[in-house]
Amino acid sequence: MIFYCGNKHRDEHQIHHRDLCKVILSMLNEMGAPNLFDKLKTADPDLWLKTRIDLMKKAKSKIGRQFQEYEEQMFLFPKTCVVCHDSDLSVLRNCECGVNLCKIHKDDSKHKELCGVLKLAFKLTVSGQLPTLNTIQTSLDISERSSLPPSMQDFLDLHLIFREETPEQNENFQGMVTSNFFSGPLTLLYAIEKLNYKVNSSMVIHIIGAGNQDVAAEGCWKTFLLRLTRLTNLKIVFIGPNVSNCLETAVHTFDYYPLAIKTLKVQFHSQRYDEYFKSESFINPDIILGCNLDFHESELGISECTWKDTILTLKKVCVPFVLTAGTKERAEKDHKRFCKLLGMSVHYKFCEVNPYAALSPERDFETEGVRYSNKYVIIYDGKYKESATLKKGEKKKLEGKSSIVKV
């Protein structure tokens, strides 16, 4: 299930993997097989996805705790051929992009198309120190007098300069990683323009399902103040079980001359959105953003279904909601799951490829290809009404080509 370079590192790690090791051994004994994926060779993507998730769920139930990320990856990205999912290690060869191919499929054309971007995803994953906002010099002039740059790459080329560069991290590499910081704010600016949303002098934005990356990017929300000239007071509220509670703090804006009279404040609430809504700390938002929430994964059984109360709360708050997803398939599944948990079929205003998606690829266990943070954007106006029939062409809005690679 997992490989070590030698006995020394295997023994060092044993205290951390001993409980999972015992669970896997017990499952192998029950199956009477040399590995968990023995004789599960299939080219059916749906069956293959279900097989991996079912085995992971069984292991989780036996171990009685949540898995760490690398433990989940042992099941979601097992050592099998990426084409036919043969698990015989004697016929597998590891490609430099990180995936395995059997002797029959070592020259698979589909893999050749994705190999380069998978190699990049692998490099980004295992790289050491990544760029931080402190290493970025901004040259922002994106007021409403000019148009937003047409894409994330154009935004980086026009407005960012990296103060530090190493042989391992050239400007393109740093730009791809840095795009993750700016993708959220730029996506929401894009959504506001699509909705023709009227912005006043003060604005409150709720970011639901927030994580560590959202917290790290708090300073990038200065772009909002620069872009929206009428906006002088901006408050960002990060809500999610994976952030730490924090009293309201101010983000310095005086390093940008145009922001001398503008303020940016942030709050962090470590709870689900429905819990925050019922708390005394709740502040009415003007708009809500949810990045890569993957509602549908709870239906697959990967995570607990904790989204229903949050989605019903969105209906009560009744303001525009912007949802993003990493692939077209994930966007479609998330919209269906959103409607199901809401208890009605609703229309979105827009659902399309997001020009401000992050540029760094990530390996996707659902498609066995790649995904990009915020690659698709779905925009709801907040007026959730039952729709009797699907809007003509609604599915066509999901169609589009990636500016980097077709996924």
Side-chain angles (χ1 to χ4, degrees):
M1 291 288 289
I2 195 164
F3 282 48
Y4 296 92
C5 62
N7 291 336
K8 180 182 177 182
H9 286 167
R10 182 195 63 187
D11 294 343
E12 281 182 13
H13 194 244
Q14 188 177 43
I15 191 172
H16 302 291
H17 84 258
R18 185 182 294 144
D19 58 346
L20 180 57
C21 196
K22 290 179 179 178
V23 164
I24 292 173
L25 285 171
S26 72
M27 291 171 68
L28 290 175
N29 287 332
E30 291 172 10
M31 296 167 64
N35 68 69
L36 293 185
F37 298 92
D38 187 48
K39 298 178 182 178
L40 295 177
K41 183 176 176 179
T42 177
D44 183 331
D46 294 330
L47 178 59
W48 177 237
L49 177 61
K50 184 178 186 303
T51 297
R52 287 174 287 156
I53 291 173
D54 286 347
L55 284 169
M56 184 173 70
K57 286 163 62 178
K58 185 175 181 179
K60 280 184 177 180
S61 68
K62 283 178 173 286
I63 203 169
R65 63 168 173 81
Q66 290 298 312
F67 275 5
Q68 296 185 45
E69 184 179 7
Y70 83 90
E71 293 172 323
E72 286 195 345
Q73 290 184 356
M74 289 165 64
F75 290 86
L76 298 178
F77 301 108
K79 290 184 179 295
T80 65
C81 174
V82 74
V83 179
C84 67
H85 307 115
D86 191 340
S87 62
D88 183 355
L89 294 179
S90 67
V91 302
L92 293 180
R93 297 293 181 270
N94 187 255
C95 181
E96 59 185 344
C97 69
V99 306
N100 292 278
L101 293 160
C102 68
K103 292 178 181 178
I104 297 173
H105 296 111
K106 60 183 176 64
D107 297 318
D108 180 68
S109 59
K110 182 180 178 182
H111 173 257
K112 284 184 176 180
E113 290 179 11
L114 283 172
C115 188
V117 73
L118 283 169
K119 192 187 304 182
L120 178 58
F122 181 77
K123 182 180 178 181
L124 288 165
T125 301
V126 301
S127 61
Q129 185 178 0
L130 297 175
T132 65
L133 292 179
N134 294 329
T135 66
I136 302 167
Q137 178 180 337
T138 52
S139 174
L140 294 173
D141 181 18
I142 54 170
S143 69
E144 290 170 296
R145 293 187 298 273
S146 59
S147 300
L148 272 175
S151 71
M152 174 61 79
Q153 188 62 60
D154 289 313
F155 172 82
L156 296 176
D157 293 342
L158 287 168
H159 300 301
L160 298 187
I161 302 170
F162 298 98
R163 297 191 181 102
E164 300 173 8
E165 185 175 317
T166 65
E168 296 80 19
Q169 296 178 14
N170 59 32
E171 187 172 325
N172 289 336
F173 181 92
Q174 291 184 335
M176 281 185 288
V177 177
T178 304
S179 67
N180 286 285
F181 295 133
F182 285 93
S183 182
L186 290 175
T187 297
L188 201 55
L189 278 172
Y190 177 70
I192 284 174
E193 290 192 359
K194 294 286 288 184
L195 288 169
N196 291 318
Y197 187 86
K198 183 180 179 182
V199 177
N200 297 314
S201 60
S202 295
M203 190 173 195
V204 176
I205 297 170
H206 287 178
I207 300 179
I208 64 173
N212 292 329
Q213 184 162 289
D214 300 298
V215 175
E218 65 175 34
C220 296
W221 288 92
K222 296 174 187 177
T223 55
F224 240 75
L225 292 168
L226 281 164
R227 175 68 182 167
L228 304 174
T229 53
R230 293 188 61 189
L231 182 62
T232 56
N233 299 296
L234 175 61
K235 185 173 292 186
I236 311 291
V237 186
F238 298 90
I239 308 113
N242 296 323
V243 299
S244 300
N245 283 318
C246 182
L247 297 174
E248 184 171 288
T249 58
V251 176
H252 293 305
T253 58
F254 51 75
D255 49 342
Y256 296 92
Y257 174 74
L259 303 184
I261 59 171
K262 296 195 175 192
T263 63
L264 169 59
K265 295 181 179 179
V266 296
Q267 293 181 5
F268 302 94
H269 297 276
S270 181
Q271 53 195 163
R272 297 198 314 264
Y273 192 58
D274 54 295
E275 296 170 334
Y276 169 66
F277 176 73
K278 297 173 184 175
S279 72
E280 295 181 359
S281 304
F282 180 77
I283 306 170
N284 283 313
D286 295 288
I287 197 165
I288 301 171
L289 173 66
C291 293
N292 310 298
L293 299 183
D294 291 317
F295 293 143
H296 70 281
E297 286 191 358
S298 61
E299 197 167 36
L300 294 174
I302 295 175
S303 58
E304 293 181 31
C305 183
T306 59
W307 286 114
K308 183 172 183 179
D309 290 336
T310 288
I311 290 172
L312 292 175
T313 301
L314 294 176
K315 184 180 178 182
K316 296 175 185 176
V317 177
C318 200
V319 299
F321 173 47
V322 180
L323 176 67
T324 70
T327 64
K328 171 186 172 181
E329 293 85 357
R330 286 174 176 269
E332 291 174 334
K333 291 176 183 177
D334 278 351
H335 174 64
K336 290 178 182 176
R337 184 65 170 161
F338 181 79
C339 292
K340 186 173 181 179
L341 293 176
L342 194 62
M344 61 175 71
S345 296
V346 296
H347 293 314
Y348 42 69
K349 294 288 289 184
F350 303 96
C351 185
E352 57 196 37
V353 174
N354 178 15
Y356 303 104
L359 302 180
S360 53
E362 305 167 33
R363 195 173 171 187
D364 181 22
F365 70 87
E366 289 189 21
T367 62
E368 296 198 278
V370 293
R371 62 178 177 178
Y372 296 86
S373 181
N374 304 327
K375 184 63 186 176
Y376 274 76
V377 58
I378 307 174
I379 305 172
Y380 302 95
D381 62 8
K383 301 170 184 176
Y384 304 110
K385 296 179 181 178
E386 182 78 43
S387 57
T389 57
L390 287 175
K391 199 182 290 183
K392 284 186 178 180
E394 188 171 89
K395 283 198 73 175
K396 290 184 179 180
K397 290 184 180 179
L398 281 168
E399 296 174 358
K401 293 183 179 179
S402 166
S403 58
I404 302 174
V405 65
K406 188 176 181 180
V407 294

